[in-house]
Amino acid sequence: MEEIAKALVAPGKGIWAADASPKTIMKRFQEVGIQTGENTNKRFRETLFATDGLENYISGVILNDEIIREERLRNLLTNKGILIGIKVDKGTVDLENFPGEKITEGLDGLRERLAEYKGIGAKFTKWRAVITIGENIPTHVCIGLNVEALARFAALSQEAGLVPVVEPEVLMDGKHTIDEGEKVTFKVLSNVFTELAEHKVNLSQMLLKPNFVHHGKDCLKRASDEKIAQRTLKVLKETVSPQVPGIVFLSGGDSAIEATKHVDRMNEIGGVPWPIAFSFERALEGPAMIVWGGKDENIEAARQVLLDRAKKNSLARSGSYSESMEG
Ligand code: 5MM
């Protein structure tokens, strides 16, 4: 598991989160004007998984339950040497008695599902907890329940021989300043690592998938890219064990270019014990989805757009990306 974790954050590489649930991916298609049918996601995945050269920049792809069951789609990745991951949470529901807060479900029957996923070739797993910033939230009940679920997920994954990617996402939604974003991210990550230790999770056999420390989307005071990179590194240094083999960021609603810039700047600054990599969904596949538009005649162009984003994020792994590379 340690070797798999290290391979996922090998120099110049990162993870592609192609794991949006059917409901989320349909919403994304509709947002960009793609006509959706029963097989739209399978067609989208097939189009992009067949991209030549993807393996130069992408170490692993996270799939959802529907896609991992398609042997043909799995083979498109594994034949290139790309590792297969699986999102094993079952999504979020409202947390009873705590308006505005969410809890992630999916622990029931997880041991059995993990064995099944392992049997069809999965090497790593992912679970996302969602924390919202707002008036009097997050509460300690919400943080406590979510970090406990993350720790149980991580322990069960390791028991099954699968590397857990632990994803506690502090949402960018809201009016909060970057100071508040920093405070909450610090609190959440501190709690995550306390809980992982209490659940005896092996920290050298997992990856952390955090948010950038960020201002809220509706905050009038926008933090600079420099501040986002500096504050994110500061919080990581304060909370994350050096034993963790790597940090793979989610993009969280940042544009593709912004997300690449953040990873690039953090790698330029350096001074941390972990590889700083990416595990983007929207910031990687979003531009390719727009170009594809659901049309066969755009397949090759969509592949080139995905490859271009993957390459730029690969450059960001060594702080060698520059915004001037964008067309
Ligand atoms: C936060 O979302 C994760 C990373 O994606 P971004 O880089 O776009 O922020 C992503 O892996 C997410 O967890 C999956 O798409 C699953 O989402 P849902 O909510 O559909 O289960």
Side-chain angles (χ1 to χ4, degrees):
M1 279 187 276
E2 214 167 311
E3 274 169 32
I4 301 264
K6 283 184 184 156
L8 286 168
V9 290
K13 291 192 182 179
I15 297 172
W16 170 16
D19 62 328
S21 57
K23 195 173 143 213
T24 304
I25 198 72
M26 288 304 155
K27 193 177 126 220
R28 302 234 197 281
F29 288 143
Q30 281 154 13
E31 276 166 2
V32 299
I34 296 175
Q35 282 218 327
T36 53
E38 210 192 312
N39 285 323
T40 314
N41 196 27
K42 284 185 195 156
R43 283 176 53 228
F44 181 55
R45 298 303 166 200
E46 180 165 10
T47 293
L48 296 187
F49 291 175
T51 304
D52 280 337
L54 199 59
E55 66 278 14
N56 296 324
Y57 316 116
I58 299 295
S59 53
V61 177
I62 314 173
L63 307 176
N64 70 16
D65 182 73
E66 180 196 22
I67 301 297
I68 201 170
R69 293 179 187 284
E70 299 287 327
E71 190 180 354
R72 202 169 37 87
L73 297 184
R74 292 198 307 268
N75 288 344
L76 284 172
L77 299 169
T78 52
N79 289 344
K80 294 184 175 68
I82 294 177
L83 301 170
I84 299 289
I86 174 76
K87 184 252 302 288
V88 300
D89 66 70
K90 291 200 165 177
T92 60
V93 292
D94 291 340
L95 180 57
E96 59 283 3
N97 291 339
F98 292 85
E101 302 203 282
K102 301 274 183 195
I103 177 72
T104 304
E105 294 194 321
L107 286 170
D108 285 354
L110 182 55
R111 184 176 267 139
E112 292 72 28
R113 286 195 291 129
L114 289 169
E116 191 191 354
Y117 292 138
K118 173 119 175 149
I120 54 176
K123 303 289 182 211
F124 66 106
T125 55
K126 196 207 81 173
W127 178 287
R128 172 175 173 244
V130 170
I131 303 293
T132 311
I133 303 182
E135 213 182 320
N136 299 322
I137 61 172
T139 61
H140 74 273
V141 173
C142 175
I143 294 177
L145 287 171
N146 273 295
V147 300
E148 185 174 343
L150 278 170
R152 285 210 60 211
F153 143 75
L156 281 162
S157 289
Q158 290 182 345
E159 179 190 85
L162 295 163
V163 173
V165 177
V166 173
E167 181 182 12
E169 178 180 10
V170 177
L171 292 181
M172 220 184 264
D173 298 2
K175 291 183 178 161
H176 56 274
T177 61
I178 191 169
D179 291 346
E180 288 166 295
E182 179 182 342
K183 206 168 103 192
V184 173
T185 305
F186 171 85
K187 192 168 178 187
V188 169
L189 290 180
S190 308
N191 277 271
V192 164
F193 280 93
T194 303
E195 201 73 13
L196 290 173
E198 282 177 5
H199 284 248
K200 303 182 182 177
V201 171
N202 186 332
L203 299 183
S204 55
Q205 297 178 351
M206 61 162 275
L207 296 174
L208 176 71
K209 176 165 174 171
N211 51 282
F212 302 122
V213 171
H214 214 284
H215 52 269
K217 270 195 311 223
D218 301 323
C219 177
L220 296 176
K221 212 172 142 202
R222 292 176 61 85
S224 65
D225 291 335
E226 183 61 26
K227 199 177 238 184
I228 289 169
Q230 295 278 4
R231 297 287 186 94
T232 305
L233 287 176
K234 175 173 174 272
V235 171
L236 292 180
K237 283 195 247 182
E238 289 165 345
T239 56
V240 183
S241 161
Q243 274 177 277
V244 173
I247 313 281
V248 291
F249 280 96
L250 61 93
S251 57
D254 262 339
S255 72
I257 295 175
E258 282 166 338
T260 308
K261 278 201 287 186
H262 299 329
V263 171
D264 181 72
R265 185 63 192 133
M266 282 188 270
N267 278 304
E268 230 173 28
I269 298 167
V272 290
W274 330 271
I276 298 287
F278 54 91
S279 173
F280 298 153
E281 181 210 329
R282 286 162 287 182
L284 250 178
E285 68 183 33
M289 186 188 289
I290 293 169
V291 168
W292 178 57
K295 298 189 178 123
D296 286 350
E297 65 259 36
N298 298 332
I299 285 177
E300 202 40 52
R303 288 179 182 151
Q304 288 316 308
V305 170
L306 176 72
L307 202 62
D308 178 66
R309 258 341 320 144
K311 187 175 179 185
K312 284 172 176 149
N313 284 303
S314 167
L315 290 170
R317 285 287 324 267
S318 53
S320 316
Y321 164 79
S322 155
E323 203 177 348
S324 64
M325 293 169 183
E326 303 292 347

